[in-house]
Amino acid sequence: MEVPAELAAGEESSALPAAAALPSESQPTPAKPVQITVVTAQELKTIKGDVSATLVRVEYNGAILGDSSKTDVLPDGTANYNFMTSFECNPDGPNSLADVAQKPVLLTVIEVLQKEKKQKEKTVPLGQAVVDLLPLLQGQCSFKVSAPLYAVPPSPLESLHPEAKGGLEVTVCTEEPLLSAAQLSNGNLLSVTLEAAYSVPEAFLPSGPPHNYMACLQVPAAGEKEFPLLFKNGILKLAGEKEPFPRPKKWSLANIMAPGALNIPESFIVGGPYEDEDGELNKREDREFRIQAESMKRIVWDMEKRCYLDPAAVVTLQKRITQCQYWPVEVCRMTVAPASKGKTSEADKGDEDKQIFFHGVAYINMEPLLCPGVKQIRGAFRVFTYQDNKVFEKTKCQHSVFRDLRTQLHLTKEGPWTPGISTSLSKAFPSKTQKEDKEKITKDKDSNRRMSSVPKIRLSDASLEAENITNLSLEEQPYVEAGTFLMMEIKLDKALVPRRLREDLTRRVEQMIPPRPPLPPRTDGAKKAVEDYHNRVTSIAVSILSECRELFGKQLPDGGATDPQTLEEQKRQLNFELNKSGKYFAFKEQLKYAVVKIVREKYQKTTAFETQEEFQAFLSELYVYLMDQMHVALNQLLFEEAALPVPVLRMTEEQLWLFAREAEVNKDYELASVYHQKRLDQDQRNIQHWLDYGAFRLLLEETTKAQECFRQALSLDPHHIQSLLLCGVVAVMLQHYAEAEIFFESACCLEPSSIVAWTLSGLFYELQNNNIQAEMAFREAKKLLKAQLAKEGEGGKRQISATSVRSPSPDPGGSAERVPEAVEPALAFAALKEGATAPASAPKAGESSAKQVHPDGQSSTSRDGQPAAPSPVSGLSRLPCTIFMKTVEFLMKFNAIQFVHMALAHELLSFQGGPSCAYYLALARTCLLKEDFSKCQECLREAVRIDPVNPNVWAQKGHLCYLKRDFGEAKECYERTISFVEDAADVHFVYLRLGSIYLEEKERES
């Protein structure tokens, strides 16, 4: 039986036998057999209708494991092979764990044609399928898959639909796990996906000799060894439609005849917003360039390489990232000329046919992988011309990775684009092919310069990076000139630095703030239950006496005595009337609850009775006790004169909170403290009462007392998000940074959808100079805000546009995209502090008038757990449109001014067309706290210019005039405020102050 020669192993497996093998430094382990069983093939007739007999070939890692016997195809397209074969997995051999990670089992279904007389049987490949062995590295000893079968085109020039038309049922098993328990728990799996190179140089043309576009990344293994991951055979695509999302990732196999079999099962490139990417070119100014580049000429790989990292290699990987955060990814183009008819030696052929051109490098920032819980990096990375000195300066790599691969790739020279750069690869003169390429590139550049109608795409910061390359002119930097960038993804199966678990964070919070113990059992419960029973009996007795007076009041004799017969008749008539009217059953329902309380509190009986005798005995005892207590209550009613109860004036929680707020704004802080403490006396287990009191203490800059209040709130509920955030804020103010990190991380873990929690975490990490985690936190908050705005729909968008009107040159990209990166926020913070961001201090009480309310104190929070309305000096817009303004709104309602300054600094950096009305209102409030009236007036002037119909702006301006004792101007501002259809956030204090002005002017309105 003949088998086609093209089904033999491909060249890649033999070219780079150790390209991705990461050998273990541990003791050698014996080989473990991996058994592969091909059970059945299904729907073969959908590929070819007249197929009658087939066999299946199993290949792995370039070696043919065996062929099954010829099997007839059943009428339904099924073929039962039951073919079993195996290979040995040896950590030190050809089939290592790294091979299992990245190389699948290749299955080829071969049609056996009917032989003619005196001829051998002929075979034709029918379809191919692949089986991923990754489950064996995830602890499984056996698994069963239905591998999709893709048709093989009849000829290389023909193409078939990429969808699978059949399937192979395959079972893979091992006698024992390939990984030990230590390897499974401490090892890791690294996968690198090279998607495409966009905005490639104009010299990359599909015409001329064929080229092989390659990229390579070195992965450190245990010890000092490094192994390259080589991506070959990039496809040059001309300008046209963008690459679709999602699209499958591909295997790096060379012996695949069915194109669909190159797709890795259940592994896709999904894409995503530019702002959510890591790397470069993810800012707003890069959006237009990215969109255009994705539809222009590009090189597409869509290839994934995997590496198994043993525990020693994981430690080495983490150590290398710590030593140098940037890793080089080298790219090049290799010319592969057709075979010459002349007599040329093999060495000359290698020299002429395979040379490096356009040698470039991209720098991948791997440091995010050292952040807790981070397992993936995906983004765009600019490509620069490769220079040994620049690469060594940034990555500590002493030479090009292609120098180590020159034996496998038969490389001896480097192309003309890197003269004098890599001395180890550029000693020879350019060959004829190189000269032809250079002449062609020069002509192309001249023609491109003449095409004035083609618009130039500006790449942000590209010129700045290009200035660093001093020994090459722009003409010798094709990647920089074209703005080339790579799209890559680096992913780990487990994070190098695990994130703390939710249970661990909760435990550490409870260690710092023990939960409040439960309330002690009540000792007066039985006494109160009896008193309630007496009151209920008395109430019913009074009702029955009133009923008797209505029925028999006129029938009583003058002497007051009634004969027994008449008395019995009246008793029957009373029972009839009570039952007829339903009052009898109402009285029973009234007594029922009182009796239940006696059973629970007096007898402490809450479980069922075991026997009927026990139940009857309890009923008898209860009946006697209830009758005795009924007589006690009736005797007190008939023969004792009860004293009239003294009315108790008890204020509600809402009243106490309002009185405390009015005392705050009147600068009577002692009275405000009394009202806050009365609220706590009424209900010490109300979290909001403690938060309000803590906000009041922050107003007075008593940070330690505020911390005690917030911790009391957290002790009532360790999962309360606001309490966690406020504990973190005061911990930062007290410079307890380790505790603050735990609080912020717990808040993000317990409520990952909280925009404020992620933003505060980012501000904290930025304060610690941890810019990577700060950027990641801001990005997560930005993503949540965009999702929230999208969920709100068009109505929400109209609201946002009405409340965030910009000064000229509005931001066209949407409010959610104005979130800045963690880039030099200290500059804006310093500028902000110069104007009006000093910490708020409690104003002097002597400056206020006893007859007037001066509400420039801080607001606290409402009783329902949500932040209260802003105080009179607030000026927040009706709906904050950035993550920082949302955070400012939260912080100012709890008087956390230090974090307000940091958030406003970011807000100042984030605008393209100028700060928003909400920004100026928040800044004006901080100015009032500092009593910097001139700066406050400037901020309000800008706010009025941006949004003249915002009632909060005019209310804030009225407060400023009122504090300056310009009552005439304040009156006009207040009257304008209340003339709007929508009320200001602090309209209560607007009415108070306007009323005080009217009283001063003796103008009373009806």
Side-chain angles (χ1 to χ4, degrees):
M1 181 184 301
E2 289 185 354
V3 178
E6 63 269 15
L7 296 184
E11 62 179 34
E12 180 169 323
S13 59
S14 59
L16 294 174
L22 303 183
S24 173
E25 295 294 327
S26 58
Q27 295 296 326
T29 56
K32 300 177 181 179
V34 178
Q35 182 176 298
I36 303 168
T37 304
V38 183
V39 184
T40 60
Q42 301 172 350
E43 300 181 6
L44 293 178
K45 291 188 178 294
T46 59
I47 301 177
K48 186 176 181 181
D50 58 348
V51 60
S52 59
T54 60
L55 60 88
V56 63
R57 167 170 292 175
V58 182
E59 301 177 50
Y60 184 71
N61 199 12
I64 300 177
L65 302 183
D67 296 345
S68 70
S69 59
K70 183 175 73 173
T71 304
D72 295 334
V73 178
L74 301 178
D76 59 354
T78 302
N80 298 317
Y81 299 114
N82 292 321
F83 174 65
M84 183 182 303
T85 184
S86 64
F87 68 90
E88 289 189 347
C89 177
N90 191 341
D92 302 323
N95 298 326
S96 64
L97 295 177
D99 295 324
V100 174
Q102 73 165 351
K103 295 180 181 179
V105 175
L106 179 60
L107 307 173
T108 306
V109 176
I110 302 173
E111 180 185 9
V112 181
L113 302 177
Q114 295 182 356
K115 64 179 181 179
E116 298 178 0
K117 294 181 179 180
K118 299 181 180 180
Q119 290 184 355
K120 297 181 179 179
E121 287 183 334
K122 294 183 179 180
T123 57
V124 176
L126 188 65
Q128 286 186 316
V130 292
V131 176
D132 192 358
L133 299 180
L134 188 61
L136 296 180
L137 299 181
Q138 297 173 340
Q140 299 186 29
C141 292
S142 64
F143 63 93
K144 184 177 182 180
V145 296
S146 180
L149 185 64
Y150 297 90
V152 175
S155 67
L157 300 178
E158 299 185 31
S159 60
L160 296 177
H161 199 275
E163 293 183 359
K165 294 185 177 181
L168 288 175
E169 186 176 323
V170 184
T171 301
V172 180
C173 62
T174 59
E175 295 180 357
E176 56 180 323
L178 296 185
L179 300 179
S180 64
Q183 288 178 315
L184 190 61
S185 60
N186 300 325
N188 212 328
L189 186 71
L190 173 68
S191 62
V192 180
T193 302
L194 179 60
E195 300 177 16
Y198 293 100
S199 188
V200 297
E202 292 294 334
F204 287 7
L205 299 174
S207 58
H211 300 97
N212 191 348
Y213 298 95
M214 298 186 299
C216 191
L217 168 68
Q218 289 197 118
V219 178
E224 298 297 327
K225 297 181 181 179
E226 290 187 349
F227 292 89
L229 297 181
L230 182 63
F231 298 86
K232 299 171 60 178
N233 303 320
I235 302 173
L236 178 63
K237 293 187 177 181
L238 301 180
E241 296 183 359
K242 297 182 179 181
E243 298 297 318
F245 290 110
R247 61 182 187 271
K249 298 179 181 179
K250 300 183 183 298
W251 299 104
S252 58
L253 299 178
N255 54 335
I256 293 290
M257 294 179 291
L262 282 173
N263 299 337
I264 301 177
E266 300 180 359
S267 184
F268 299 93
I269 299 172
V270 296
Y274 303 133
E275 295 80 7
D276 296 342
E277 294 177 354
D278 304 285
E280 308 165 74
L281 301 174
N282 54 2
K283 299 182 177 62
R284 286 178 40 78
E285 56 266 25
D286 302 315
R287 171 183 290 272
E288 182 181 357
F289 169 73
R290 291 282 299 272
I291 293 175
Q292 294 186 29
E294 289 177 358
S295 59
M296 297 172 63
K297 185 164 54 176
R298 57 199 179 273
I299 301 172
V300 180
W301 285 274
D302 289 344
M303 190 178 298
E304 180 182 73
K305 291 271 190 175
R306 299 173 184 163
C307 299
Y308 168 72
L309 305 176
D310 63 7
V314 172
V315 174
T316 303
L317 175 65
Q318 189 169 353
K319 181 180 178 182
R320 295 288 178 86
I321 297 176
T322 304
Q323 293 173 348
C324 185
Q325 67 185 78
Y326 291 101
W327 286 18
V329 177
E330 298 184 36
V331 295
C332 72
R333 186 182 77 173
M334 185 174 67
T335 303
V336 182
S340 176
K341 295 182 180 180
K343 296 181 180 180
T344 308
S345 65
E346 293 296 329
D348 292 340
K349 286 183 180 180
D351 292 349
E352 293 291 334
D353 295 347
K354 294 185 177 181
Q355 304 164 12
I356 289 181
F357 293 89
F358 296 93
H359 192 185
V361 61
Y363 301 104
I364 312 297
N365 186 4
M366 302 287 285
E367 194 173 21
L369 292 179
L370 297 183
C371 296
V374 176
K375 299 186 292 185
Q376 177 180 350
I377 296 175
R378 181 184 181 273
F381 303 92
R382 295 189 184 96
V383 180
F384 304 96
T385 302
Y386 186 91
Q387 294 177 273
D388 279 342
N389 57 340
K390 296 296 181 182
V391 174
F392 177 76
E393 179 182 346
K394 198 159 188 176
T395 68
K396 309 304 179 185
C397 293
Q398 298 181 356
H399 54 78
S400 170
V401 65
F402 288 120
R403 192 187 73 172
D404 299 331
L405 299 179
R406 47 192 303 190
T407 303
Q408 290 88 348
L409 299 176
H410 308 290
L411 300 176
T412 57
K413 298 188 184 76
E414 192 169 83
W417 284 109
T418 54
I421 299 174
S422 180
T423 57
S424 61
L425 295 176
S426 59
K427 294 181 180 179
F429 292 102
S431 64
K432 180 179 179 182
T433 307
Q434 290 172 307
K435 294 179 180 179
E436 291 177 355
D437 279 358
K438 188 170 183 179
E439 292 176 0
K440 185 181 298 183
I441 293 169
T442 304
K443 294 179 181 179
D444 292 338
K445 286 188 176 180
D446 293 338
S447 63
N448 289 335
R449 293 191 183 97
R450 293 193 295 267
M451 295 174 62
S452 59
S453 60
V454 179
K456 288 289 184 179
I457 302 173
R458 182 180 179 184
L459 179 61
S460 65
D461 299 334
S463 59
L464 181 63
E465 294 288 342
E467 289 176 3
N468 296 329
I469 306 177
T470 57
N471 56 345
L472 289 178
S473 65
L474 190 60
E475 293 295 328
E476 296 172 326
Q477 299 179 42
Y479 292 120
V480 175
E481 182 181 8
T484 306
F485 62 93
L486 293 178
M487 283 299 300
M488 291 191 66
E489 178 190 69
I490 299 176
K491 187 176 181 180
L492 291 166
D493 187 55
K494 293 178 289 188
L496 293 178
V497 182
R499 187 187 297 273
R500 281 188 283 232
L501 299 177
R502 175 174 176 175
E503 295 77 10
D504 181 50
L505 291 170
T506 303
R507 178 180 55 81
R508 298 189 65 175
V509 170
E510 290 178 352
Q511 288 177 354
M512 292 187 294
I513 307 175
R516 175 170 286 197
L519 291 175
R522 294 179 298 175
T523 57
D524 58 344
K527 181 179 179 181
K528 189 175 185 303
V530 174
E531 290 179 356
D532 291 343
Y533 177 71
H534 288 174
N535 295 334
R536 190 63 61 188
V537 170
T538 302
S539 174
I540 295 174
V542 171
S543 299
I544 294 175
L545 288 176
S546 299
E547 191 74 18
C548 289
R549 291 191 185 97
E550 292 180 3
L551 293 175
F552 315 115
K554 297 180 181 180
Q555 300 179 14
L556 291 176
D558 296 337
T562 306
D563 61 283
Q565 185 176 359
T566 303
L567 187 61
E568 189 67 26
E569 182 63 27
Q570 290 178 351
K571 182 179 177 181
R572 284 196 299 268
Q573 187 177 354
L574 177 62
N575 286 334
F576 175 76
E577 291 296 334
L578 290 177
N579 282 278
K580 178 181 177 183
S581 62
K583 294 180 180 179
Y584 176 78
F585 297 100
F587 294 154
K588 286 180 60 178
E589 289 297 323
Q590 293 178 18
L591 279 176
K592 181 185 298 184
Y593 180 69
V595 173
V596 169
K597 288 183 64 177
I598 288 179
V599 172
R600 290 178 177 174
E601 301 292 342
K602 178 69 177 176
Y603 291 90
Q604 297 183 353
K605 188 66 179 176
T606 57
T607 58
F609 295 94
E610 297 180 357
T611 62
Q612 187 67 20
E613 292 77 7
E614 182 181 355
F615 177 58
Q616 292 297 331
F618 175 77
L619 288 180
S620 301
E621 182 182 357
L622 177 63
Y623 177 77
V624 172
Y625 179 80
L626 293 177
M627 292 300 294
D628 291 341
Q629 294 300 321
M630 181 188 70
H631 288 109
V632 172
L634 293 177
N635 289 333
Q636 291 177 354
L637 173 64
L638 297 176
F639 302 106
E640 297 180 7
E641 184 177 355
L644 295 176
V646 179
V648 178
L649 180 61
R650 182 182 178 88
M651 291 181 289
T652 63
E653 296 178 3
E654 294 84 353
Q655 290 174 329
L656 287 173
W657 177 80
L658 185 59
F659 293 158
R661 286 288 298 113
E662 291 181 354
E664 288 178 24
V665 298
N666 198 33
K667 301 180 183 179
D668 190 349
Y669 299 118
E670 292 184 2
L671 182 60
S673 178
V674 170
Y675 284 127
H676 280 297
Q677 290 176 9
K678 283 186 177 180
R679 292 183 74 201
L680 291 173
D681 291 340
Q682 285 190 2
D683 188 2
Q684 292 191 4
R685 302 191 69 82
N686 190 310
I687 294 177
Q688 197 59 44
H689 293 180
W690 288 106
L691 296 184
D692 292 342
Y693 194 36
F696 170 69
R697 288 301 173 185
L698 278 183
L699 171 63
L700 303 181
E701 291 190 327
E702 297 176 355
T703 309
T704 304
K705 291 185 178 181
Q707 183 187 42
E708 294 176 3
C709 296
F710 296 147
R711 291 200 170 200
Q712 286 288 345
L714 191 60
S715 67
L716 295 173
D717 183 5
H719 296 166
H720 192 255
I721 303 302
Q722 286 188 354
S723 302
L724 283 168
L725 294 177
L726 292 173
C727 284
V729 168
V730 295
V732 172
M733 297 172 68
L734 295 173
Q735 298 183 358
H736 299 163
Y737 299 117
E739 294 181 3
E741 183 177 9
I742 294 175
F743 288 130
F744 288 132
E745 191 174 349
S746 298
C748 294
C749 182
L750 291 172
E751 190 171 344
S753 61
S754 173
I755 298 174
V756 175
W758 284 107
T759 308
L760 286 176
S761 297
L763 294 175
F764 167 74
Y765 286 125
E766 186 180 74
L767 193 64
Q768 300 294 302
N769 294 324
N770 191 343
N771 292 331
I772 291 181
Q773 285 197 259
E775 181 180 354
M776 295 175 63
F778 290 148
R779 187 185 306 158
E780 184 67 23
K782 170 185 162 184
K783 185 190 304 183
L784 293 171
L785 180 60
K786 293 178 68 175
Q788 177 181 325
L789 296 179
K791 187 177 180 179
E792 289 174 357
E794 294 298 326
K797 292 180 182 178
R798 286 194 295 269
Q799 261 190 330
I800 293 169
S801 62
T803 57
S804 57
V805 180
R806 300 284 169 186
S807 55
S809 302
D811 183 10
S815 60
E817 297 172 4
R818 291 194 300 275
V819 180
E821 303 298 327
V823 182
E824 297 190 12
L827 297 178
F829 179 61
L832 199 60
K833 287 192 68 175
E834 290 180 4
T837 56
S841 60
K844 297 180 181 179
E847 298 177 0
S848 62
S849 173
K851 295 182 180 180
Q852 297 172 350
V853 179
H854 294 271
D856 55 344
Q858 296 298 311
S859 67
S860 52
T861 51
S862 63
R863 58 183 293 273
D864 58 355
Q866 298 297 327
S871 70
V873 289
S874 73
L876 294 175
S877 294
R878 283 156 283 183
L879 184 63
C881 54
T882 66
I883 62 172
F884 298 107
M885 289 312 300
K886 276 184 171 289
T887 307
V888 165
E889 183 186 43
F890 170 79
L891 293 171
M892 294 192 74
K893 291 169 184 174
F894 288 100
N895 307 314
I897 305 302
Q898 178 179 345
F899 271 81
V900 169
H901 299 160
M902 299 169 62
L904 287 178
H906 273 282
E907 184 74 2
L908 184 62
L909 286 174
S910 64
F911 296 118
Q912 301 296 324
S916 66
C917 179
Y919 169 83
Y920 283 115
L921 286 172
L923 186 56
R925 177 177 177 180
T926 61
C927 293
L928 276 184
L929 291 174
K930 191 181 178 182
E931 297 185 356
D932 188 353
F933 295 147
S934 60
K935 183 67 177 179
C936 179
Q937 188 171 2
E938 294 177 7
C939 295
L940 291 176
R941 187 183 300 115
E942 291 296 322
V944 170
R945 180 183 62 83
I946 294 174
D947 191 359
V949 295
N950 191 334
N952 288 321
V953 176
W954 293 102
Q956 186 84 340
K957 188 174 181 181
H959 299 325
L960 173 63
C961 297
Y962 190 89
L963 294 176
K964 293 170 64 177
R965 306 192 67 80
D966 186 357
F967 297 123
E969 184 69 20
K971 175 185 172 183
E972 293 180 4
C973 293
Y974 287 147
E975 288 177 341
R976 185 163 184 172
T977 300
I978 63 177
S979 66
F980 289 108
V981 175
E982 182 181 355
D983 288 336
D986 51 0
V987 68
H988 175 75
F989 298 100
V990 171
Y991 284 131
L992 283 179
R993 286 185 164 176
L994 184 58
S996 68
I997 294 174
Y998 285 155
L999 288 176
E1000 290 289 334
E1001 297 178 354
K1002 300 186 182 302
E1003 295 179 5
R1004 301 180 182 275
E1005 294 185 354
S1006 57

